[in-house]
Amino acid sequence: ALRFDRTRALGACAVFALVLYAAWLTITACNGETAAAVSAHMVRELKMLDIGTIGSNAAREREALGVVEEGTPKTFEHTLFGCQGNETSFVHWSCDRLPSADTDPRLFTPEEAIFHKAITPLCAPIYHAAFEARVPCQFADTYNQFFDGHHWTDEAFVTYVRGAAGTAYINQTEALFRSAHVMSTRPIIVFCVDSECDWDPYEYPRLLVIKVKSTRATEEPSLDFYKFYAMIMARARTGIVLDTDMMLLPAIDAMFSRIRVHINEDYPYFIMPVHWMSRDPAAGDYPNYAFNLTLPYKRTMRWGHAHPVWTYHALPMICDMYSRVISGVYPGYGDEDVANIISWEYQLTKQWCKWDNSDDMLYEFMQQREGGFGLNTFADRVWYPRGFPLVFYALHNTKIKSVTLAYLHHLNEYRFSHALRPYVYQGFWYNRPEEIGAMHVPCVL
C-alpha cells in the first residue's frame, strides 16, 4: 500500500509554487534582462531565503549546538484580537487601559503589575496620546500567534523605524527581517514611527508591525530614543533590542534563556553588551573617543553598546530612563550616552560579553581557527586588561541589503556542514557559556 506523506507533499507544492512565482516575475518584471537570467536569479533568491524551510533550519541548528531552551513561543488559546468593521488597525496597548486606582492588584499577573506601576507616570496628559500603539489589520494573525490574551508575548526581538519604502535605511531593515526569519523562531516586532510600513505578513510570517505617532511632547532629538519606547511598549516578558543594521546568527535564540538567568527580581535592570572601545579617559584605548563628562557618581562598568536586553523586571528602570529623555533631562546626548549615564547612576554591575560583533568578523566566525582570533580582544587598562569573550549571536554594521543577503545565504548553507561554536576567548572557541564561566571573566554570558 502507498503511504501518503503529507509533509513531503506540502513541501513539493511549496517548491512548485515558488517556481511558478519566479516564472510570473520573469514575465512581468524583466526590465531589460533576459528571461532566462531573471528566472534563474529569482529561483536562486527564493531558494536562498525560502520561508517555508526556516523553522526546520533553525531547529536543526539549535539541535547541532545542543541548545536547551525555555519559553518557546506557542500559539495561545484566547479570544482572538483583530479589526472590527471599517477599522484599519486595532489597539495593542494605550494609556486608556491603565486600571483605576481602586483595582485589586491581585488581579494582575506579575508582569502586568510591574508594567502598570512603571508606565503610569508616562501616561500623564501631556504624553497620553503618544502611548497608543496599534497593529495593522493584516498582522492580526501574527499578533494572535505570539501574544496572549493579556497582550503579552514571551520572547521577542524589537526594533524601530521611520522612513519610506525603498530607502537604504528601510532596505537594511528588510535584510534584518530576513536574518530573523532564517536564524530564529522568535517574532520580530518593528515599531513604525509616523510611517506606513506596509510589509507583507505572508512574506515575513513572524514580523509584527506596530504603528505609533510622534507628538510634540515626545519628539525626541533622535529616532534612536524610540528603542526605549519600543522596549516598554512591546510588552515582551523577555526582549532583545536590535538596530536595523544587524544580522542575526544561528545561536541567537539561546540568548533568551540566558537573559532570564541574569535579569530577574534580584537584578531588575537592562544589560548592554560591552562596547569595542572603553571611552574611559583612564583606560588608554581610543583616547580621541573618551567620554569626559563629569558625573556625581563613579563609573561602575566600561562603556556599553546601546543594544540592551531586558525582562519585564527591568521595566521600572527603562520607564524612568525614557521619562527623563522626553522631559529634556539629557539635552544634546544620544541614546547610547543616556543608557550609559543612567547605568552608572544606578550603579549597575552587569555587562554582556560582546554579542553584537562587527560584520567583518563573519569570516573568523565561520573559519573558527584557534590560537589567534579572540586573543586579548579590545583590551583596556581599567576594565578588561585581558580583553573579553566574543559571543556570535549577531553581526552589526550590516548596512547594505545585497551584501547582508549574500552573507546570510553563504552562512545558511555553510552552517549545516560545519559545527559553529558561538563563543571565542583567548584564541579558543567554545560551545557553551559554562566552558568560559570557569575562567571568571568580568562580563556575563
Short mmCIF file of all heavy atoms in Angstrom, two decimals, residues 92-93 115 130-136 143 147 151 153 156-163 169-170 173 177 188-197 199 207-213 223 225-236 240-242 244 310:
data_model
loop_
_atom_site.label_atom_id
_atom_site.label_comp_id
_atom_site.label_asym_id
_atom_site.label_seq_id
_atom_site.Cartn_x
_atom_site.Cartn_y
_atom_site.Cartn_z
N HIS A 92 -2.92 47.67 20.36
CA HIS A 92 -2.04 46.77 21.10
C HIS A 92 -2.04 47.17 22.57
O HIS A 92 -2.29 46.35 23.45
CB HIS A 92 -0.64 46.84 20.50
CG HIS A 92 0.44 46.27 21.38
ND1 HIS A 92 0.40 44.98 21.87
CD2 HIS A 92 1.59 46.83 21.86
CE1 HIS A 92 1.49 44.76 22.60
NE2 HIS A 92 2.22 45.87 22.62
N TRP A 93 -1.78 48.44 22.83
CA TRP A 93 -1.88 48.98 24.19
C TRP A 93 -1.97 50.49 24.11
O TRP A 93 -1.42 51.12 23.21
CB TRP A 93 -0.69 48.58 25.06
CG TRP A 93 -0.99 48.78 26.53
CD1 TRP A 93 -1.62 47.91 27.36
CD2 TRP A 93 -0.72 49.96 27.31
NE1 TRP A 93 -1.76 48.44 28.61
CE2 TRP A 93 -1.22 49.71 28.61
CE3 TRP A 93 -0.13 51.18 27.03
CZ2 TRP A 93 -1.13 50.64 29.63
CZ3 TRP A 93 -0.05 52.12 28.05
CH2 TRP A 93 -0.53 51.84 29.33
N PHE A 115 4.46 46.46 35.02
CA PHE A 115 4.27 47.35 33.88
C PHE A 115 3.40 48.54 34.25
O PHE A 115 3.75 49.69 33.95
CB PHE A 115 3.63 46.56 32.74
CG PHE A 115 3.32 47.38 31.51
CD1 PHE A 115 4.29 47.62 30.55
CD2 PHE A 115 2.05 47.91 31.31
CE1 PHE A 115 4.01 48.37 29.43
CE2 PHE A 115 1.76 48.67 30.19
CZ PHE A 115 2.75 48.90 29.24
N ALA A 130 0.82 59.80 22.90
CA ALA A 130 1.98 59.11 22.31
C ALA A 130 2.00 57.63 22.67
O ALA A 130 2.61 56.83 21.95
CB ALA A 130 3.27 59.77 22.77
N PHE A 131 1.33 57.26 23.74
CA PHE A 131 1.37 55.88 24.18
C PHE A 131 0.14 55.11 23.73
O PHE A 131 -0.53 54.44 24.52
CB PHE A 131 1.57 55.82 25.70
CG PHE A 131 2.97 56.17 26.10
CD1 PHE A 131 3.31 57.50 26.35
CD2 PHE A 131 3.96 55.22 26.17
CE1 PHE A 131 4.61 57.85 26.69
CE2 PHE A 131 5.26 55.55 26.50
CZ PHE A 131 5.58 56.88 26.76
N GLU A 132 -0.16 55.24 22.47
CA GLU A 132 -1.16 54.39 21.82
C GLU A 132 -0.47 53.68 20.67
O GLU A 132 -0.01 54.31 19.73
CB GLU A 132 -2.35 55.19 21.31
CG GLU A 132 -3.36 54.28 20.60
CD GLU A 132 -4.66 54.99 20.26
OE1 GLU A 132 -5.41 55.33 21.19
OE2 GLU A 132 -4.89 55.21 19.06
N ALA A 133 -0.38 52.39 20.77
CA ALA A 133 0.30 51.57 19.77
C ALA A 133 -0.72 50.67 19.10
O ALA A 133 -1.48 49.96 19.79
CB ALA A 133 1.40 50.74 20.43
N ARG A 134 -0.74 50.69 17.77
CA ARG A 134 -1.79 49.99 17.03
C ARG A 134 -1.18 49.00 16.03
O ARG A 134 -0.12 49.24 15.46
CB ARG A 134 -2.69 50.98 16.28
CG ARG A 134 -3.36 52.02 17.20
CD ARG A 134 -4.36 52.87 16.44
NE ARG A 134 -5.52 52.10 16.00
CZ ARG A 134 -6.63 51.94 16.71
NH1 ARG A 134 -6.75 52.51 17.91
NH2 ARG A 134 -7.64 51.23 16.24
N VAL A 135 -1.90 47.90 15.84
CA VAL A 135 -1.47 46.83 14.94
C VAL A 135 -2.31 46.88 13.67
O VAL A 135 -3.55 46.82 13.76
CB VAL A 135 -1.62 45.45 15.61
CG1 VAL A 135 -1.17 44.35 14.65
CG2 VAL A 135 -0.81 45.40 16.90
N PRO A 136 -1.71 47.01 12.49
CA PRO A 136 -2.49 46.97 11.25
C PRO A 136 -3.23 45.65 11.12
O PRO A 136 -2.75 44.59 11.55
CB PRO A 136 -1.42 47.12 10.15
CG PRO A 136 -0.26 47.79 10.83
CD PRO A 136 -0.28 47.27 12.24
N TYR A 143 -0.16 38.55 15.34
CA TYR A 143 -0.35 39.01 16.72
C TYR A 143 -0.97 37.90 17.58
O TYR A 143 -0.50 37.61 18.69
CB TYR A 143 -1.26 40.24 16.72
CG TYR A 143 -1.32 40.96 18.05
CD1 TYR A 143 -0.39 41.94 18.38
CD2 TYR A 143 -2.32 40.67 18.99
CE1 TYR A 143 -0.44 42.61 19.60
CE2 TYR A 143 -2.38 41.34 20.20
CZ TYR A 143 -1.44 42.31 20.50
OH TYR A 143 -1.49 42.96 21.71
N PHE A 147 1.02 36.64 20.82
CA PHE A 147 0.59 37.37 22.01
C PHE A 147 -0.56 36.65 22.69
O PHE A 147 -1.43 36.08 22.03
CB PHE A 147 0.17 38.80 21.65
CG PHE A 147 1.34 39.74 21.49
CD1 PHE A 147 2.11 39.71 20.34
CD2 PHE A 147 1.67 40.63 22.49
CE1 PHE A 147 3.20 40.56 20.18
CE2 PHE A 147 2.76 41.49 22.35
CZ PHE A 147 3.52 41.45 21.19
N HIS A 151 -2.23 40.61 26.06
CA HIS A 151 -1.39 41.43 25.18
C HIS A 151 0.09 41.39 25.60
O HIS A 151 0.80 42.39 25.52
CB HIS A 151 -1.87 42.89 25.14
CG HIS A 151 -3.26 43.06 24.62
ND1 HIS A 151 -3.56 43.22 23.29
CD2 HIS A 151 -4.46 43.06 25.28
CE1 HIS A 151 -4.86 43.33 23.13
NE2 HIS A 151 -5.43 43.24 24.33
N THR A 153 3.77 38.97 25.04
CA THR A 153 4.43 37.89 24.34
C THR A 153 5.61 37.41 25.18
O THR A 153 6.19 38.20 25.96
CB THR A 153 4.91 38.33 22.94
OG1 THR A 153 5.38 37.18 22.21
CG2 THR A 153 6.01 39.37 23.01
N ALA A 156 10.80 38.15 22.28
CA ALA A 156 10.72 38.85 21.00
C ALA A 156 11.97 39.70 20.78
O ALA A 156 12.59 40.19 21.72
CB ALA A 156 9.48 39.74 20.94
N PHE A 157 12.30 39.86 19.50
CA PHE A 157 13.23 40.90 19.08
C PHE A 157 12.42 42.17 18.82
O PHE A 157 11.27 42.11 18.39
CB PHE A 157 13.95 40.50 17.79
CG PHE A 157 14.67 39.18 17.87
CD1 PHE A 157 14.16 38.06 17.25
CD2 PHE A 157 15.85 39.07 18.58
CE1 PHE A 157 14.82 36.85 17.32
CE2 PHE A 157 16.52 37.86 18.67
CZ PHE A 157 16.00 36.74 18.04
N VAL A 158 13.04 43.31 19.08
CA VAL A 158 12.34 44.57 18.93
C VAL A 158 13.24 45.55 18.19
O VAL A 158 14.43 45.67 18.50
CB VAL A 158 11.95 45.16 20.31
CG1 VAL A 158 11.32 46.54 20.15
CG2 VAL A 158 10.98 44.23 21.03
N THR A 159 12.68 46.26 17.21
CA THR A 159 13.39 47.33 16.54
C THR A 159 12.41 48.44 16.23
O THR A 159 11.23 48.38 16.61
CB THR A 159 14.12 46.82 15.28
OG1 THR A 159 15.01 47.83 14.80
CG2 THR A 159 13.15 46.42 14.18
N TYR A 160 12.87 49.46 15.51
CA TYR A 160 12.06 50.66 15.30
C TYR A 160 12.54 51.33 14.03
O TYR A 160 13.72 51.28 13.67
CB TYR A 160 12.22 51.63 16.50
CG TYR A 160 13.68 51.87 16.82
CD1 TYR A 160 14.36 52.96 16.30
CD2 TYR A 160 14.39 50.95 17.60
CE1 TYR A 160 15.71 53.15 16.56
CE2 TYR A 160 15.74 51.13 17.85
CZ TYR A 160 16.40 52.23 17.33
OH TYR A 160 17.74 52.40 17.56
N VAL A 161 11.61 51.96 13.29
CA VAL A 161 11.96 52.59 12.01
C VAL A 161 11.13 53.85 11.81
O VAL A 161 10.06 54.02 12.38
CB VAL A 161 11.75 51.65 10.80
CG1 VAL A 161 12.63 50.42 10.89
CG2 VAL A 161 10.28 51.25 10.67
N ARG A 162 11.65 54.70 10.96
CA ARG A 162 10.90 55.81 10.41
C ARG A 162 11.46 56.04 9.01
O ARG A 162 12.66 56.25 8.85
CB ARG A 162 11.04 57.07 11.26
CG ARG A 162 10.33 58.29 10.63
CD ARG A 162 10.77 59.59 11.30
NE ARG A 162 10.02 59.84 12.53
CZ ARG A 162 10.55 60.42 13.61
NH1 ARG A 162 11.82 60.76 13.62
NH2 ARG A 162 9.80 60.63 14.67
N GLY A 163 10.60 55.98 8.01
CA GLY A 163 11.12 56.20 6.66
C GLY A 163 10.21 55.60 5.60
O GLY A 163 9.23 54.91 5.90
N TYR A 169 17.86 52.90 4.31
CA TYR A 169 17.56 52.58 5.71
C TYR A 169 16.51 51.47 5.80
O TYR A 169 16.66 50.50 6.57
CB TYR A 169 17.07 53.84 6.42
CG TYR A 169 16.65 53.63 7.85
CD1 TYR A 169 17.57 53.27 8.83
CD2 TYR A 169 15.32 53.81 8.24
CE1 TYR A 169 17.18 53.09 10.15
CE2 TYR A 169 14.93 53.63 9.55
CZ TYR A 169 15.86 53.27 10.50
OH TYR A 169 15.46 53.08 11.80
N ILE A 170 15.45 51.57 5.02
CA ILE A 170 14.41 50.54 5.04
C ILE A 170 14.93 49.26 4.41
O ILE A 170 14.60 48.15 4.85
CB ILE A 170 13.14 51.04 4.33
CG1 ILE A 170 12.54 52.23 5.10
CG2 ILE A 170 12.12 49.92 4.21
CD1 ILE A 170 12.14 51.91 6.53
N THR A 173 16.75 47.34 6.91
CA THR A 173 15.78 46.79 7.85
C THR A 173 15.22 45.47 7.32
O THR A 173 15.05 44.50 8.07
CB THR A 173 14.64 47.79 8.09
OG1 THR A 173 15.19 49.03 8.56
CG2 THR A 173 13.65 47.27 9.11
N PHE A 177 15.09 41.63 8.87
CA PHE A 177 13.92 40.75 8.94
C PHE A 177 14.24 39.37 8.37
O PHE A 177 13.86 38.34 8.93
CB PHE A 177 12.75 41.35 8.16
CG PHE A 177 12.21 42.64 8.72
CD1 PHE A 177 11.40 43.46 7.93
CD2 PHE A 177 12.50 43.04 10.01
CE1 PHE A 177 10.90 44.65 8.42
CE2 PHE A 177 11.99 44.23 10.51
CZ PHE A 177 11.19 45.04 9.71
N ILE A 188 9.73 39.09 15.50
CA ILE A 188 10.45 40.37 15.50
C ILE A 188 9.41 41.47 15.37
O ILE A 188 8.60 41.49 14.43
CB ILE A 188 11.52 40.44 14.39
CG1 ILE A 188 12.22 41.80 14.43
CG2 ILE A 188 10.97 40.10 13.02
CD1 ILE A 188 13.50 41.86 13.62
N ILE A 189 9.39 42.36 16.34
CA ILE A 189 8.42 43.45 16.40
C ILE A 189 9.08 44.73 15.93
O ILE A 189 10.13 45.11 16.45
CB ILE A 189 7.89 43.64 17.84
CG1 ILE A 189 7.30 42.34 18.38
CG2 ILE A 189 6.86 44.77 17.89
CD1 ILE A 189 6.98 42.38 19.87
N VAL A 190 8.50 45.39 14.96
CA VAL A 190 9.04 46.66 14.48
C VAL A 190 8.04 47.77 14.81
O VAL A 190 6.87 47.70 14.43
CB VAL A 190 9.38 46.63 12.97
CG1 VAL A 190 8.17 46.24 12.13
CG2 VAL A 190 9.94 47.96 12.52
N PHE A 191 8.50 48.77 15.52
CA PHE A 191 7.68 49.94 15.82
C PHE A 191 7.91 50.97 14.72
O PHE A 191 9.03 51.44 14.51
CB PHE A 191 8.05 50.52 17.19
CG PHE A 191 7.45 49.75 18.33
CD1 PHE A 191 8.04 48.58 18.78
CD2 PHE A 191 6.28 50.19 18.94
CE1 PHE A 191 7.48 47.85 19.82
CE2 PHE A 191 5.71 49.47 19.97
CZ PHE A 191 6.31 48.30 20.42
N CYS A 192 6.84 51.28 14.00
CA CYS A 192 6.90 52.20 12.86
C CYS A 192 6.43 53.57 13.33
O CYS A 192 5.26 53.74 13.66
CB CYS A 192 6.03 51.69 11.73
SG CYS A 192 6.66 50.16 11.02
N VAL A 193 7.33 54.52 13.32
CA VAL A 193 7.04 55.86 13.81
C VAL A 193 6.65 56.75 12.64
O VAL A 193 7.47 57.01 11.75
CB VAL A 193 8.26 56.45 14.55
CG1 VAL A 193 7.91 57.82 15.13
CG2 VAL A 193 8.76 55.50 15.63
N ASP A 194 5.40 57.16 12.59
CA ASP A 194 4.92 58.06 11.53
C ASP A 194 5.21 57.51 10.14
O ASP A 194 5.54 58.26 9.22
CB ASP A 194 5.56 59.45 11.68
CG ASP A 194 5.31 60.08 13.03
OD1 ASP A 194 4.23 59.84 13.60
OD2 ASP A 194 6.20 60.80 13.52
N SER A 195 5.12 56.21 9.97
CA SER A 195 5.48 55.58 8.69
C SER A 195 4.45 54.53 8.31
O SER A 195 3.75 53.99 9.16
CB SER A 195 6.87 54.94 8.77
OG SER A 195 7.85 55.88 9.15
N GLU A 196 4.38 54.23 7.02
CA GLU A 196 3.40 53.26 6.52
C GLU A 196 3.78 51.83 6.87
O GLU A 196 2.98 51.05 7.34
CB GLU A 196 3.24 53.41 5.01
CG GLU A 196 2.48 54.66 4.59
CD GLU A 196 1.08 54.71 5.19
OE1 GLU A 196 0.38 53.68 5.15
OE2 GLU A 196 0.69 55.77 5.70
N CYS A 197 5.01 51.45 6.56
CA CYS A 197 5.50 50.10 6.90
C CYS A 197 4.55 49.02 6.40
O CYS A 197 4.05 48.19 7.16
CB CYS A 197 5.68 49.97 8.40
SG CYS A 197 6.96 51.05 9.09
N TRP A 199 4.70 46.15 4.99
CA TRP A 199 5.28 44.86 4.67
C TRP A 199 4.20 43.77 4.64
O TRP A 199 3.15 43.91 5.26
CB TRP A 199 6.35 44.50 5.70
CG TRP A 199 7.61 45.32 5.53
CD1 TRP A 199 8.46 45.29 4.48
CD2 TRP A 199 8.13 46.30 6.43
NE1 TRP A 199 9.49 46.18 4.66
CE2 TRP A 199 9.32 46.82 5.86
CE3 TRP A 199 7.72 46.78 7.67
CZ2 TRP A 199 10.09 47.79 6.48
CZ3 TRP A 199 8.49 47.76 8.29
CH2 TRP A 199 9.66 48.25 7.70
N LEU A 207 7.03 38.57 11.48
CA LEU A 207 7.17 40.02 11.66
C LEU A 207 5.84 40.59 12.16
O LEU A 207 4.78 40.29 11.63
CB LEU A 207 7.54 40.68 10.33
CG LEU A 207 7.52 42.21 10.30
CD1 LEU A 207 8.61 42.78 11.19
CD2 LEU A 207 7.67 42.73 8.87
N LEU A 208 5.93 41.44 13.18
CA LEU A 208 4.75 42.15 13.66
C LEU A 208 5.01 43.65 13.58
O LEU A 208 5.96 44.16 14.20
CB LEU A 208 4.43 41.77 15.11
CG LEU A 208 3.24 42.50 15.71
CD1 LEU A 208 1.94 42.11 15.00
CD2 LEU A 208 3.12 42.25 17.20
N VAL A 209 4.20 44.35 12.81
CA VAL A 209 4.28 45.80 12.70
C VAL A 209 3.37 46.43 13.75
O VAL A 209 2.20 46.08 13.87
CB VAL A 209 3.87 46.27 11.29
CG1 VAL A 209 3.70 47.79 11.26
CG2 VAL A 209 4.91 45.84 10.27
N ILE A 210 3.91 47.37 14.52
CA ILE A 210 3.13 48.17 15.46
C ILE A 210 3.37 49.64 15.13
O ILE A 210 4.51 50.09 15.10
CB ILE A 210 3.51 47.87 16.92
CG1 ILE A 210 3.19 46.41 17.26
CG2 ILE A 210 2.76 48.80 17.87
CD1 ILE A 210 3.49 46.03 18.70
N LYS A 211 2.30 50.36 14.87
CA LYS A 211 2.42 51.76 14.44
C LYS A 211 2.19 52.71 15.60
O LYS A 211 1.28 52.51 16.42
CB LYS A 211 1.42 52.06 13.31
CG LYS A 211 1.74 51.33 12.01
CD LYS A 211 0.85 51.82 10.88
CE LYS A 211 1.23 51.16 9.56
NZ LYS A 211 0.43 51.71 8.43
N VAL A 212 3.04 53.73 15.66
CA VAL A 212 2.90 54.77 16.67
C VAL A 212 3.09 56.12 16.01
O VAL A 212 3.72 56.23 14.95
CB VAL A 212 3.92 54.59 17.82
CG1 VAL A 212 3.68 53.30 18.55
CG2 VAL A 212 5.35 54.66 17.31
N LYS A 213 2.52 57.15 16.62
CA LYS A 213 2.64 58.51 16.10
C LYS A 213 3.40 59.36 17.11
O LYS A 213 3.12 59.32 18.31
CB LYS A 213 1.26 59.12 15.84
CG LYS A 213 0.50 58.43 14.72
CD LYS A 213 -0.84 59.10 14.48
CE LYS A 213 -1.59 58.44 13.32
NZ LYS A 213 -2.91 59.09 13.08
N LEU A 223 15.81 59.53 16.46
CA LEU A 223 14.94 58.36 16.32
C LEU A 223 15.39 57.24 17.25
O LEU A 223 14.57 56.45 17.73
CB LEU A 223 14.96 57.87 14.87
CG LEU A 223 14.20 56.58 14.58
CD1 LEU A 223 12.70 56.76 14.77
CD2 LEU A 223 14.50 56.08 13.17
N PHE A 225 16.10 57.14 20.23
CA PHE A 225 15.48 57.10 21.55
C PHE A 225 14.19 56.28 21.54
O PHE A 225 13.69 55.90 22.60
CB PHE A 225 15.21 58.51 22.06
CG PHE A 225 16.44 59.19 22.59
CD1 PHE A 225 16.97 60.29 21.95
CD2 PHE A 225 17.07 58.70 23.72
CE1 PHE A 225 18.11 60.91 22.43
CE2 PHE A 225 18.21 59.31 24.22
CZ PHE A 225 18.73 60.43 23.56
N TYR A 226 13.66 55.98 20.36
CA TYR A 226 12.47 55.13 20.30
C TYR A 226 12.79 53.70 20.70
O TYR A 226 11.88 52.90 20.91
CB TYR A 226 11.83 55.19 18.91
CG TYR A 226 10.83 56.31 18.79
CD1 TYR A 226 11.17 57.51 18.20
CD2 TYR A 226 9.54 56.18 19.30
CE1 TYR A 226 10.26 58.56 18.09
CE2 TYR A 226 8.62 57.22 19.22
CZ TYR A 226 8.99 58.40 18.61
OH TYR A 226 8.09 59.43 18.53
N LYS A 227 14.07 53.33 20.79
CA LYS A 227 14.37 51.98 21.26
C LYS A 227 13.91 51.82 22.71
O LYS A 227 13.44 50.74 23.09
CB LYS A 227 15.85 51.64 21.11
CG LYS A 227 16.80 52.32 22.06
CD LYS A 227 18.24 51.82 21.86
CE LYS A 227 18.68 51.91 20.42
NZ LYS A 227 20.11 51.62 20.24
N PHE A 228 13.99 52.88 23.51
CA PHE A 228 13.50 52.80 24.89
C PHE A 228 11.97 52.68 24.89
O PHE A 228 11.40 51.91 25.66
CB PHE A 228 13.93 54.03 25.69
CG PHE A 228 15.42 54.29 25.69
CD1 PHE A 228 15.92 55.58 25.82
CD2 PHE A 228 16.33 53.24 25.57
CE1 PHE A 228 17.28 55.82 25.83
CE2 PHE A 228 17.70 53.48 25.57
CZ PHE A 228 18.17 54.77 25.70
N TYR A 229 11.32 53.45 24.04
CA TYR A 229 9.86 53.36 23.89
C TYR A 229 9.48 51.94 23.47
O TYR A 229 8.53 51.35 24.02
CB TYR A 229 9.41 54.37 22.83
CG TYR A 229 7.94 54.37 22.50
CD1 TYR A 229 7.08 55.31 23.06
CD2 TYR A 229 7.39 53.44 21.61
CE1 TYR A 229 5.71 55.31 22.75
CE2 TYR A 229 6.05 53.44 21.30
CZ TYR A 229 5.21 54.38 21.86
OH TYR A 229 3.87 54.37 21.55
N ALA A 230 10.19 51.39 22.50
CA ALA A 230 9.87 50.06 22.00
C ALA A 230 10.04 48.99 23.07
O ALA A 230 9.25 48.04 23.16
CB ALA A 230 10.73 49.73 20.78
N MET A 231 11.07 49.13 23.90
CA MET A 231 11.27 48.17 24.99
C MET A 231 10.09 48.17 25.95
O MET A 231 9.68 47.12 26.46
CB MET A 231 12.55 48.51 25.74
CG MET A 231 13.83 48.31 24.94
SD MET A 231 15.27 49.08 25.72
CE MET A 231 15.57 47.97 27.10
N ILE A 232 9.53 49.34 26.19
CA ILE A 232 8.39 49.45 27.10
C ILE A 232 7.12 48.90 26.45
O ILE A 232 6.42 48.05 27.01
CB ILE A 232 8.16 50.92 27.50
CG1 ILE A 232 9.38 51.47 28.24
CG2 ILE A 232 6.90 51.07 28.35
CD1 ILE A 232 9.40 52.98 28.36
N MET A 233 6.85 49.38 25.24
CA MET A 233 5.55 49.11 24.62
C MET A 233 5.46 47.76 23.91
O MET A 233 4.37 47.34 23.52
CB MET A 233 5.23 50.23 23.64
CG MET A 233 4.98 51.57 24.31
SD MET A 233 3.49 51.57 25.32
CE MET A 233 2.23 51.66 24.03
N ALA A 234 6.56 47.06 23.76
CA ALA A 234 6.50 45.73 23.15
C ALA A 234 5.72 44.75 24.02
O ALA A 234 5.11 43.83 23.53
CB ALA A 234 7.90 45.20 22.91
N ARG A 235 5.75 44.97 25.33
CA ARG A 235 5.11 44.07 26.29
C ARG A 235 5.61 42.63 26.07
O ARG A 235 4.83 41.68 25.97
CB ARG A 235 3.60 44.18 26.22
CG ARG A 235 3.11 45.51 26.78
CD ARG A 235 1.62 45.75 26.54
NE ARG A 235 0.76 44.80 27.18
CZ ARG A 235 0.31 44.88 28.44
NH1 ARG A 235 0.71 45.90 29.20
NH2 ARG A 235 -0.50 43.98 28.94
N ALA A 236 6.94 42.54 26.03
CA ALA A 236 7.62 41.25 25.94
C ALA A 236 8.18 40.89 27.30
O ALA A 236 8.83 41.71 27.94
CB ALA A 236 8.74 41.31 24.90
N ILE A 240 15.01 41.52 23.23
CA ILE A 240 16.33 41.91 22.71
C ILE A 240 16.12 43.05 21.74
O ILE A 240 15.36 42.91 20.77
CB ILE A 240 17.02 40.73 21.99
CG1 ILE A 240 17.22 39.55 22.94
CG2 ILE A 240 18.35 41.18 21.39
CD1 ILE A 240 17.75 38.29 22.25
N VAL A 241 16.77 44.19 21.98
CA VAL A 241 16.69 45.33 21.06
C VAL A 241 17.71 45.14 19.94
O VAL A 241 18.87 44.83 20.19
CB VAL A 241 16.96 46.65 21.80
CG1 VAL A 241 17.21 47.78 20.80
CG2 VAL A 241 15.79 47.02 22.68
N LEU A 242 17.25 45.35 18.72
CA LEU A 242 18.13 45.28 17.55
C LEU A 242 18.11 46.61 16.82
O LEU A 242 17.05 47.23 16.68
CB LEU A 242 17.66 44.19 16.59
CG LEU A 242 17.55 42.77 17.15
CD1 LEU A 242 16.92 41.85 16.11
CD2 LEU A 242 18.91 42.24 17.58
N THR A 244 18.63 48.37 13.07
CA THR A 244 18.26 47.83 11.76
C THR A 244 19.46 47.37 10.95
O THR A 244 19.30 46.58 10.01
CB THR A 244 17.47 48.87 10.95
OG1 THR A 244 18.27 50.06 10.81
CG2 THR A 244 16.17 49.22 11.64
N TRP A 310 16.47 42.79 28.09
CA TRP A 310 15.69 43.03 29.32
C TRP A 310 14.67 41.93 29.54
O TRP A 310 14.37 41.14 28.63
CB TRP A 310 14.98 44.38 29.24
CG TRP A 310 13.71 44.40 28.44
CD1 TRP A 310 12.43 44.33 28.90
CD2 TRP A 310 13.59 44.47 27.00
NE1 TRP A 310 11.53 44.37 27.87
CE2 TRP A 310 12.22 44.45 26.69
CE3 TRP A 310 14.51 44.53 25.96
CZ2 TRP A 310 11.74 44.48 25.38
CZ3 TRP A 310 14.04 44.57 24.64
CH2 TRP A 310 12.68 44.55 24.37
#
